[in-house]
Each structure stands twice: as structure tokens, then as C-alpha cells.
Amino acid sequence: MRNWRISILATLTWVSFGWCNLAFVLAQIPYNPYPNPGYTILAGYRDSADRFFDYRIAHSAGMSWNPNTHQFNGKQAWWADYKDSIENNPRNSFNLMSAYFGIGATFSTGLNLTEAQVITRMDSWLAPEAGIETYPELLRGFIISEENYLGDGKKEIMDFSARYVMENYGVPVFQWLLPEDQGDGGIPGTEPDLTLSAGGWVYNPVYHVTQDEFRKLTMKYVATGKPVHVNLWASDPAFDNTIPLRYDSIEQMIAHGQGQADVAKEFNISASVFAVAGATSGSVGKWKSSGDPNVIALRDWVATVAQGCESHWSLQITQPVMASQAAAMFTAYLVSIKKTSLAFTGSRMPISPAFST
């Protein structure tokens, strides 16, 4: 009985002091807060169809770093159009924008860049120039690179890039982490790294893992206290042989996706749908127009998910995100507190036992 009381005291002490320490660390990098919509509206990947989606993630409108000119082609027009899009459609404030910097990508791109080169690339897009106005204050959420794993020196370049943007432009940078194994080897997903500079998180839930693994991973992201965005799978089974490699039928595949959408709703985190079609190369355009019965079924399901958010055609946000997240976290602590004692891991702030696998 005495040991159980000590466990409670230790855990509550970590809850109190651990989160205070995290808040102190975050205070060192001031940035504009992301207007988190939570699970009230649904996002699409890149140029997804307005029929289903209220806003976008990884939406860059073709902005790419030109290694020959050391500039972004079309910069002036892009910023002018972006300013207009925010003024004309408030939903665009939720967009998690991106551009191609040649920093990050999935595996080895950008590993040999110096900090000075990173600064040059960031400034070339975000900083105003003679005759070119920029509006970084209108960027409410920003993704430097999609789907990053943190090995082989990648973490250092992603950390510096995010910290530079947040410190110098006040733009919250969402770190998009990629599991190093997409389910085949049983790795349930990349966990949030509290030593990585981030204004928020995007993660692929290792799309086809069990619901229990997905829920545990989601709880770990929620526990960081930062905005969380999960990218759900709704792509043509032919794109990666999802059927029959992982599922027996499109109905089973949709049921699995709905289970993950239910978890996103439970924790009130924002969600998007990765929806492409085509066997050799995924295309958003093909997904919109395909007559394949499996893709039609997926489109119908995504429409149902959007309607289930209850505000697909409304901008009203009905539930405070952080209040919902705090309630879920507190419940998880109470459930786990009788089972687990606190264990620190070195000098790094530990993930609570409530969120360990």
C-alpha cells in the first residue's frame, strides 16, 4: 500500500514539474500559435477536392528552391496569392503550408547542408526583398519537409531549420515524422521527440497497424501539449497493393480507417486524409475522378468522415482543443497510475508511463 502511494506521489510530481519544465523550454522559442481546429473539420493532402475537405496540409502550390539561382521561382506571385487566399477564405488559416527546400525529405536529402545554407534557403522564401512583400505572419502552420525519420544526422538539420524559422519569423513549424517501418516489421510508429524543436506534429500512424498501437501512439503525441495532426489512409488499394497484402476487402480497409478516425475524434486532434489513386504512381486527381468501385467506396467513406466532424460546411469550432486533450490525458493517468511507477530515462524528460507501449 505504501509503495502504491509513493508511485502516485512520484507520478503527480512528474506531471507537475515535468510539464512546467516543458512549458519553460517552449517559452524560449516564441511563435504565433496555430489556430488548431481539432476534429471539427477535415483536411486533405495537397490539392485535394473541396467536395470533402475544408483545408490542406503540405500545400505548396509548386514552390521549390532553385539550386541554380538560389531563389524560389514565382515568389512574388505566390505571396500575393497567399495573402488573398487568407483574406477571402478564413479556412485557409488552418492550412499547414509547405515548400520544397531540399531539406529533409524521406531519407538522406539535406544531410550535408550547413547551418548557413539552411538560413539562406529559409530567408529566400520568407524574407521580403526589393519589390517583393512577404507575409510570414499569415503562415499559421508550416511544414519544412514531409515524412522525416531522425537517424543519420537528420534530427540535427530538422531541429535547426525549425528553430530558425520559429525564432526569426514566429511561424510554428510542424515536424512530420515517419515511422522507419510501415508496419511490415511490426514497428508501431515514430514517437514524438521532446528534444526536437517543434510548434506541432504531423504523423502517419503507420497506416495499417492495430487500433491499439495507433491509439497508444496518438496519446504520446497528445501528451506533448502541442497541436497534433494525423494523416489517415484513404488511398486506392492498387496504389500499394493494400488489398490483398493487408486487407481482405475494401470493407475491412474502410472499417480500419474509421477506427483511426474515431481515435482522432476521441482526442479532438486535427486530421487529414491521404487520398491518391493509381497503381504505379499515386495521383490526387485520379482519386477525385476514378470510376473504380474501390475508389468510389473510399470517396463515399471520406464524405461520411467529413460529415461526422459535424462542421464540414461551418467554421464554428465547438470544442476547445486543449481542454479536450487535457481531460483525455488526465483520465489516462488515473487509469495507469495504479499499474505503473515512474521511470526516468537519463536527463531527457520522460514520456509518462501512461503513454508507454
Side-chain angles (χ1 to χ4, degrees):
M1 185 70 174
R2 182 173 177 271
N3 290 337
W4 184 73
R5 289 175 178 170
I6 293 173
S7 175
I8 292 178
L9 178 61
T11 303
L12 292 179
T13 300
W14 180 85
V15 172
S16 174
F17 289 99
W19 283 105
C20 287
N21 290 340
L22 178 58
F24 175 78
V25 171
L26 292 180
Q28 306 309 302
I29 308 178
Y31 52 84
N32 299 321
Y34 175 64
N36 197 345
Y39 194 80
T40 59
I41 53 180
L42 187 65
Y45 177 73
R46 296 197 176 179
D47 57 339
S48 304
D50 289 336
R51 175 186 170 194
F52 305 119
F53 306 112
D54 296 278
Y55 65 108
R56 307 285 186 273
I57 69 164
H59 187 57
S60 63
M63 287 295 289
S64 296
W65 165 259
N66 187 324
N68 297 317
T69 64
H70 301 286
Q71 294 177 334
F72 280 87
N73 298 333
K75 175 180 176 178
Q76 183 175 17
W78 189 93
W79 279 106
D81 290 344
Y82 180 71
K83 182 174 182 290
D84 289 342
S85 75
I86 295 294
E87 293 173 348
N88 294 327
N89 185 353
R91 289 183 303 180
N92 288 330
S93 294
F94 299 128
N95 287 348
L96 296 178
M97 304 300 293
S98 67
Y100 180 72
F101 294 93
I103 297 173
T106 304
F107 293 105
S108 61
T109 306
L111 293 183
N112 296 321
L113 291 178
T114 65
E115 291 184 355
Q117 289 173 316
V118 169
I119 290 172
T120 296
R121 296 188 185 195
M122 294 299 154
D123 288 347
S124 68
W125 186 50
L126 292 166
E129 303 174 25
I132 300 179
E133 291 294 324
T134 61
Y135 309 95
E137 70 278 3
L138 298 180
L139 283 173
R140 308 301 172 82
F142 179 47
I143 298 168
I144 292 175
S145 176
E146 297 179 34
E147 299 185 326
N148 298 281
Y149 84 110
L150 300 179
D152 299 330
K154 176 67 68 62
K155 176 180 175 179
E156 288 73 17
I157 200 72
M158 296 306 298
D159 178 76
F160 177 80
S161 302
R163 185 156 35 88
Y164 179 79
V165 170
M166 291 193 290
E167 287 178 345
N168 290 277
Y169 293 98
V171 179
V173 173
F174 281 63
Q175 296 282 15
W176 187 336
L177 303 184
L178 175 72
E180 294 184 48
D181 185 288
Q182 286 289 306
D184 294 327
I187 299 175
T190 297
E191 299 177 3
D193 187 333
L194 298 183
T195 66
L196 183 66
S197 298
W201 309 100
V202 179
Y203 72 103
N204 300 345
V206 192
Y207 296 112
H208 314 298
V209 297
T210 68
Q211 302 296 356
D212 184 57
E213 289 172 329
F214 172 65
R215 191 172 185 276
K216 288 179 179 179
L217 181 61
T218 297
M219 292 172 74
K220 291 179 181 181
Y221 277 98
V222 169
T224 68
K226 301 176 185 180
V228 179
H229 189 100
V230 63
N231 201 23
L232 304 173
W233 181 274
S235 288
D236 180 2
F239 173 61
D240 68 345
N241 294 318
T242 309
I243 300 173
L245 181 62
R246 302 180 192 275
Y247 304 105
D248 296 328
S249 66
I250 190 66
E251 291 78 15
Q252 186 185 41
M253 177 179 164
I254 287 174
H256 188 273
Q258 183 61 53
Q260 295 190 344
D262 291 342
V263 171
K265 184 175 184 178
E266 175 188 358
F267 290 99
N268 197 20
I269 63 175
S270 61
S272 58
V273 172
F274 177 66
V276 300
T280 56
S281 60
S283 164
V284 174
K286 288 181 181 179
W287 188 88
K288 297 176 187 178
S289 59
S290 174
D292 181 272
N294 284 338
V295 180
I296 292 173
L298 287 167
R299 288 201 300 262
D300 290 343
W301 168 63
V302 169
T304 301
V305 172
Q307 293 165 2
C309 294
E310 299 180 353
S311 59
H312 179 55
W313 292 278
S314 169
L315 298 183
Q316 181 180 3
I317 297 177
T318 58
Q319 184 180 17
V321 173
M322 291 310 297
S324 171
Q325 292 177 344
M329 289 162 54
F330 183 65
T331 300
Y333 276 119
L334 293 181
V335 169
S336 67
I337 213 170
K338 297 179 182 180
K339 303 178 181 179
T340 318
S341 60
L342 181 64
F344 287 93
T345 54
S347 60
R348 177 178 160 191
M349 180 180 149
I351 293 291
S352 164
F355 304 100
S356 61
T357 55

